[in-house]
Amino acid sequence: MATPQQLQLLAPLSGVLMPLDQVPDQVFSSRVIGDGLCIDPTSNTLCAPLAGVISNVQASGHAVSITGENGVQVLMHIGLDTVNLAGKGFTRLVEEGERVDVGQSLIEFDADVVALNARSLLTLMLVVSGEPFTWLVPETGVVDSGQPLLSMHGAGQTSDEGLPEEGEALFSKPVTLANPNGLHARPAAVFAQAAKRFSASIHLHKQQESVNAKSLVAIMTLQTAHGDVVQVSAAGPDAAAAISTLTELLLTGCGEAGAASAPVEVSQAEASSLKVLRGVCASAGSAFGRVVQIAEPCLEVNELGTTALAERDHLARGLAEARQALQQLRDNAMGNAQADIFKAHQELLEDPGLLEVAHVLIDEGKSAAFAWRAATESAATLFKGLGNALLAERAADLADVGQRVLRLILGVEDRAMELPDGAILIAEQLTPSQTAGLDTRKVLGFATVGGGATSHVAILARAAGLPAICGLPVQILTLINGTQVLLDADKGELQLDPDLAAIEQLQANRQLQKQRQQYELANAGLAACTRDGHHFEITANIASLAEAEQAIALGGDGVGLLRSEFLYLDRNHAPSHDEQASTYSAIARALGSARNLVVRTLDVGGDKPLAYVPMERETNPFLGMRGIRLCLERPQLLRDQFKAILSSAGLARLHIMLPMVAQLSELRLARQLLEEEALALGLTELPKLGIMIEVPAAALMADLFAPEVDFFSIGTNDLTQYTLAMDRDHPRLASQADSFHPSVLRLIATTVKAAHAHGKWVGVCGALASENLAVPLLLGLGVDELSVSVPLIPAIKAAVREVDLLDCQAIAQQVLGLESAEQVREALRLHHEATVDTSLVLEN
Ligand code: PEP
Ligand code: MG
């Protein structure tokens, strides 16, 4: 009998077993999805090889996954390329989420239809969660449906039920996915493969959902998208190493960074007629200059060598000189990123695999140059062919090192490239060696076909402060040297033969921006008073003591939003009272008794799950247990936080703010808890208590909330999401979920009116407050305080000093009647041009 740790997997079909390596589909034979078996079926009902829950069943019915109680996940895939049949010939007998017994029928298929229309009927059964197994039958031969085939020893180590047990797991920092389509099949496979190398039980978390990180299928069921925030947790002996490796992998796009910059396909004919070629920004900025094409010279190499001894010696000398040259480049590098690249190149020189291939060829009579080139080229080709962008980039490094050593073996002089002034370098791929040797006084920017935002050329461009675009169409390689181009990396555009007006515009804008920033910084200490003498508080949104200090240095009047989540996230147990108290006190002390400190109580749930506060899975976490709702459900958490915040009373002008309030009862209950905690501490004076206005209900009932609060602060990020019913992180709705929408502005107006009627002040701490364009609008709507992102304090203060409150009130009333966010933005732009004299700023 199989013990719980020795789960057996039964044959899902009758048929003939075939070794996985022989499956004519690389995705399966490479085991990148998981190890398992292949059956050439003689029956036509796919049955469950284990009991569990259907974790995924393709709508087309050709594939199904089951997750067993112990976390083992098994994928069954009927036929090859059967996805193209779009369901033809398949009948699904189960639904996602359904619990199935071992042997239960899952999918029926018409073998004739499938065999006629698809490449093959070969059916795969793969353990995608990565547990090892042993065979219970010979690996080839005939099997019957339901016959035990595999025994899994490690099963039971992982749990698919959300979070690993409290206290056992380590959690990574949250990582925002840069992959354009989230963790889709290929990056998910890379991630799952990497996770399988660790014995720890590893989970990937997105909001309230968490899945076995060793399972490709499970990762895909998370349905991550670009910009999603995910976390990795691991429990087990190598948990720390797993967290660090996997976090790094997520940060670097799971091998997809280059793919993220997939070039826009443009045909030759189109390119010649196009004036603008598009790629992706690898290093911000813009420049106008002339094309200089950079091509790697093709070196002549004799195939045959002299004696093996002499050729080995040549190679050894070439390698030693290359090592030295790279050391020099490391020593002179512009920062660590560049030094690390050359360190990696030095390591390649010692790679035993490369050396072995080269030595074998030399021993067969080849020259050192030929042998070395063959060794590096074949390894680079292998890397490129794996379809993994990260490895493809390593191929570029190999080619670079290969060429360096080759030149040294052949005695070809490595002359510094002669460049004209104002060069925009164009290349298929600029190698680190090429970029390191450049005279950056003459280079204005890079434009390449290859590489991505994380490629070496991008790293080096950023280190040198040069704009760069990667992923441009290959047609850039046909541009004639000397052609004038405008490289606008911020937009990812290379403009060919730009007209004078565009060039002048670009240069003028850059100059103005620079002057403007200098002016704002120089005047950051001045009060934010409008031209007609009305003072506004410009405070900071912060999440650490360092940011509080920076805010003061940049002229901030206080802190309008301390996002206290930073104390709670990224850890596997709640912060202690002492830790919380000392953090709040340190921030309060830094601000001093004359400045406001608005501490927002814990706002987690929704997009910010807490590892150690297990929450039930929610279909709609943004509409679920978020913010104050979650805290009132766990009152001790809120009491502890109140107690810790109260310990900083007196050090700054302390305010406590409740997030996501929608009901008066929430405010009242929270106030009661606060009063009880204050009483227990013997405090006679309560800090100010306010609420965030970020749920339309609160804005619409602001007249009822106002008598019971000391202040409001409007969270336009959430208020916009809930008013427009558009997820604030939705990649496709990003441009529409605009806080300038008149509906949001009307709610702000309603809130201000109600607050002022009761003598209460109103701040805005959502991102709208950090937009220059919004300054006259918000002041005009009557907002009293703008709490902004720290680096923008000087800019927002300067913007306040440029307007008249009366003008602001007029424009604010006008835009409330408009139809769309675009119209509002346009009206504000025109208003700015008409009322603000920027030349005065630049003269000052
Ligand atoms: C907001 O919603 O505007 C806000 C400031 O809160 P957060 O962005 O932290 O949700
Ligand atoms: Mg919010």
Side-chain angles (χ1 to χ4, degrees), residues 600 603 626 692 694 718 728:
R600 179 175 76 185
D603 182 15
R626 271 198 73 178
M692 288 198 67
E694 48 187 352
D718 277 314
R728 62 194 264 182

Side-chain angles (χ1 to χ4, degrees), residues 197-245:
R197 285 191 217 115
F198 297 95
S199 63
S201 149
I202 305 174
H203 283 74
L204 185 68
H205 307 253
K206 183 188 113 180
Q207 296 173 5
Q208 266 72 35
E209 290 180 74
S210 93
V211 295
N212 183 344
K214 297 181 182 178
S215 160
L216 165 66
V217 178
I219 295 172
M220 289 174 68
T221 59
L222 269 187
Q223 298 191 16
T224 53
H226 175 79
D228 273 356
V229 178
V230 296
Q231 254 179 299
V232 184
S233 71
D238 50 4
I243 295 275
S244 115
T245 304

Side-chain angles (χ1 to χ4, degrees), residues 4 21 40 65 74 96 144 170 206 220 384 389 405 425 522 549 579-580 583 611 653 678 725:
D21 320 75
D40 197 354
S65 307
V74 179
E96 222 159 89
D144 286 322
L170 295 177
K206 183 188 113 180
M220 289 174 68
K384 271 192 226 160
V405 176
L425 301 190
E549 287 164 347
E579 184 186 350
Q580 288 193 59
T583 308
R653 289 202 318 231

Side-chain angles (χ1 to χ4, degrees), residues 502-576:
I503 300 164
E504 283 176 352
Q505 185 66 49
L506 174 107
Q507 284 169 336
N509 285 351
R510 280 179 58 190
Q511 191 54 29
L512 271 178
Q513 257 172 22
K514 226 157 96 190
Q515 270 178 284
R516 169 91 197 172
Q517 273 163 3
Q518 282 165 355
Y519 160 83
E520 289 166 357
L521 210 56
N523 293 286
L526 299 179
C529 276
T530 57
R531 286 194 302 223
D532 48 355
H534 297 271
H535 179 248
F536 290 87
E537 290 251 310
I538 307 301
T539 54
N541 292 350
I542 66 161
S544 67
L545 172 60
E547 279 188 314
E549 287 164 347
Q550 200 196 349
I552 298 165
L554 289 175
D557 294 318
V559 165
L561 170 63
L562 168 59
R563 287 185 165 104
S564 63
E565 299 81 70
F566 78 102
L567 271 164
Y568 293 79
L569 294 166
D570 266 351
R571 52 200 303 162
N572 51 20
H573 51 80
S576 68

Side-chain angles (χ1 to χ4, degrees), residues 652-725:
R653 289 202 318 231
L654 186 62
H655 293 62
I656 294 181
M657 177 159 73
L658 309 171
M660 292 294 301
V661 173
Q663 319 261 19
L664 278 149
S665 59
E666 291 165 338
L667 166 65
R668 288 172 188 154
L669 196 52
R671 181 183 286 284
Q672 187 192 328
L673 297 183
L674 177 65
E675 283 171 356
E676 283 170 14
E677 290 309 318
L679 195 68
L681 288 172
L683 291 177
T684 45
E685 202 187 328
L686 272 190
K688 305 285 180 205
L689 181 66
I691 63 168
M692 288 198 67
I693 299 286
E694 48 187 352
V695 179
L700 292 167
M701 306 226 304
D703 57 334
L704 298 186
F705 277 101
E708 302 195 28
V709 296
D710 294 306
F711 65 97
F712 290 138
S713 186
I714 304 176
T716 48
N717 309 337
D718 277 314
L719 188 61
T720 305
Q721 123 163 308
Y722 295 125
T723 303
L724 294 173

Side-chain angles (χ1 to χ4, degrees), residues 8-135:
Q8 289 185 348
L9 297 187
L10 313 189
L13 288 163
S14 300
V16 183
L17 283 174
M18 179 182 188
L20 214 50
D21 320 75
Q22 287 174 23
V23 175
D25 186 320
Q26 231 231 324
V27 172
F28 297 120
S29 62
S30 66
R31 294 178 164 77
V32 65
I33 293 180
D35 201 354
L37 52 83
C38 173
I39 298 177
D40 197 354
T42 51
S43 63
N44 57 3
T45 302
L46 185 87
C47 300
L50 75 166
V53 171
I54 301 292
S55 38
N56 181 265
V57 56
Q58 294 291 309
S60 48
H62 71 287
V64 56
S65 307
I66 299 179
T67 302
E69 263 156 23
N70 38 27
V72 171
Q73 193 164 32
V74 179
L75 163 76
M76 281 140 297
H77 191 285
I78 304 170
L80 302 181
D81 291 348
T82 35
V83 64
N84 301 331
L85 301 188
K88 190 173 162 198
F90 295 98
T91 310
R92 291 190 305 169
L93 306 174
V94 287
E95 293 300 330
E96 222 159 89
E98 189 176 328
R99 188 163 285 282
V100 291
D101 284 333
V102 62
Q104 184 174 330
S105 301
L106 306 174
I107 295 173
E108 265 173 13
F109 58 97
D110 183 329
D112 293 337
V113 172
V114 179
L116 270 178
N117 294 289
R119 190 147 65 93
S120 161
L121 252 179
L122 290 177
T123 295
L124 289 306
M125 179 175 96
L126 306 174
V127 181
V128 291
S129 45
E131 287 84 352
F133 56 77
T134 49
W135 284 85

